[in-house]
Amino acid sequence: MHCAGVDLGGTNLRGVIFDGERGEVIVYAQIPTRAEEGPSAVIERIIALLRELMGQSLAPIIAVGIGVPGLYDPCTQVTRFLPNLPTGWRGVPLGAEIERAVGRPTFLINDARAFALGEATWGAGRGASTVVGITLGTGIGGGVVIEGRLLFGIDGTAGEVGHQIINPHGPPCGCGSRGCLEAHASGPAIAAAGMKAVRQGRTTQIRDLVKGDLNAITPEVIVRAAESGDPVAQEILEEAGFYLGIGVANLITLFSPEVVVIGGGVARAGEWILGPIRRVVAERCRVTPLERVRILPAALGGLSGAIGAALWAGQQASKCMR
């Protein structure tokens, strides 16, 4: 069963034709999103990408899945709010427009949920009965997959791991609450900690790495400083990993997964983040047999979301055929 999957990112559109039975990427392509051009232009680019992919596939494509960075209506396949894209994409009939253009049933899915489904089925969580997936980037998203099926919840909102409260008196979060995991350990939160350290005049390489331009501070810059032995940068990453560890410990206690898969741009920090997570989990999880829980980096690279979207489309199309 071959399906197409597209990961709608703020920078790039990644698309695949995926064989869900063999776990094989048949065709892959990536093009810039150019999100600043607005929804109509981006949709045309998605359609062009899909036509290119489908034109290279010898097998028939039964459905299309689109991973979207935000909220959507699963009944109408209309986007409700994609916060990290210009205009927010409120009320865009994305599913219907794609379906009309390419002639295949089209299903939307939250991009972090797609990541979790892809990694649970054919990535780092393959073979496990329960998998929690977490994406670390501009926001913190995730999903839970049990026996190969995504835990969907009301309108597909199950798995918003970044908005669990880990510090009731913590900083404001973009969701409107306070002390969310995302407010403490997302990419922007890590960058903000670096900016704060420089403004406070702490002795750190971070300022020199960005030549004094605080707006150029990113998690990648802080990792570079940490790898050069900068104690301030190491402290920032340790603190982010600490809060992530609390969040992961909560998820392990709730779902008792065999595998926790961590991906996204911030996860490229590797052991600077994964090390503290594992230590905190070992300290704070007391009722789950941790010797049977693995915390792993994503295995599908940048294709996790597109593969997960294709798998979701296949699952939904199969339901419609029954």
Side-chain angles (χ1 to χ4, degrees):
M1 180 170 63
H2 292 64
C3 291
V6 174
D7 185 5
L8 169 53
T11 303
N12 292 306
L13 299 171
R14 294 185 175 94
V16 299
I17 302 296
F18 191 72
D19 182 340
E21 295 176 349
R22 298 173 59 187
E24 181 179 352
V25 174
I26 306 301
V27 187
Y28 161 70
Q30 174 178 308
I31 60 174
T33 305
R34 296 181 185 166
E36 70 281 357
E37 296 179 4
S40 295
V42 173
I43 290 171
E44 287 303 315
R45 295 177 67 73
I46 295 172
I47 291 167
L49 176 62
L50 285 167
R51 286 175 173 162
E52 176 188 343
L53 292 167
M54 294 168 72
Q56 296 180 54
S57 175
L58 299 177
I61 308 303
I62 67 165
V64 173
I66 310 290
V68 298
L71 303 176
Y72 67 98
D73 186 324
C75 296
T76 63
Q77 309 302 316
V78 171
T79 59
R80 287 179 172 168
F81 183 44
L82 310 186
N84 293 321
L85 295 183
T87 78
W89 285 53
R90 294 184 185 275
V92 176
L94 176 58
E97 293 200 27
I98 299 296
E99 188 166 317
R100 188 181 306 114
V102 302
R104 298 294 188 279
T106 300
F107 304 92
L108 306 188
I109 180 174
N110 173 271
D111 58 354
R113 253 70 90 199
F115 164 87
L117 184 60
E119 286 291 335
T121 309
W122 291 106
R126 183 179 179 184
S129 62
T130 303
V131 177
V132 171
I134 302 173
T135 58
L136 309 176
T138 303
I140 295 178
V144 181
V145 179
I146 301 173
E147 301 296 347
R149 294 287 172 176
L150 192 66
L151 183 63
F152 197 65
I154 300 171
D155 290 345
T157 54
E160 285 292 339
V161 302
H163 296 293
Q164 58 177 302
I165 307 301
I166 57 170
N167 178 3
H169 308 292
C173 180
C175 73
S177 187
R178 299 187 69 91
C180 293
L181 178 59
E182 184 171 299
H184 283 281
S186 65
I190 293 171
M195 295 177 192
K196 181 179 178 181
V198 172
R199 288 196 188 101
Q200 290 177 337
R202 300 185 67 184
T203 303
T204 173
Q205 299 175 28
I206 296 171
R207 180 192 294 273
D208 294 336
L209 288 173
V210 297
K211 297 180 173 57
D213 180 3
L214 298 191
N215 291 324
I217 295 175
T218 64
E220 291 77 15
V221 168
I222 294 173
V223 170
R224 283 169 55 199
E227 289 175 342
S228 297
D230 186 324
V232 172
Q234 292 173 0
E235 177 186 311
I236 290 169
L237 295 174
E238 179 73 27
E239 181 170 310
F242 168 79
Y243 283 116
L244 287 165
I246 293 176
V248 172
N250 291 340
L251 294 166
I252 289 173
T253 301
L254 283 171
F255 295 106
S256 193
E258 294 165 72
V259 178
V260 177
V261 186
I262 299 178
V266 173
R268 289 196 288 270
E271 285 303 311
W272 291 109
I273 289 289
L274 292 177
I277 290 174
R278 292 188 178 111
R279 287 196 296 275
V280 173
V281 166
E283 292 167 359
R284 293 179 179 255
C285 281
R286 297 296 182 180
V287 297
T288 306
L290 289 180
E291 70 277 5
R292 293 162 58 189
V293 179
R294 291 174 292 156
I295 300 172
L296 302 173
L300 299 177
L303 294 183
S304 304
I307 289 171
L311 290 169
W312 178 252
Q315 290 181 0
Q316 299 312 297
S318 296
K319 288 181 183 178
C320 296
M321 294 175 184
R322 291 172 188 166

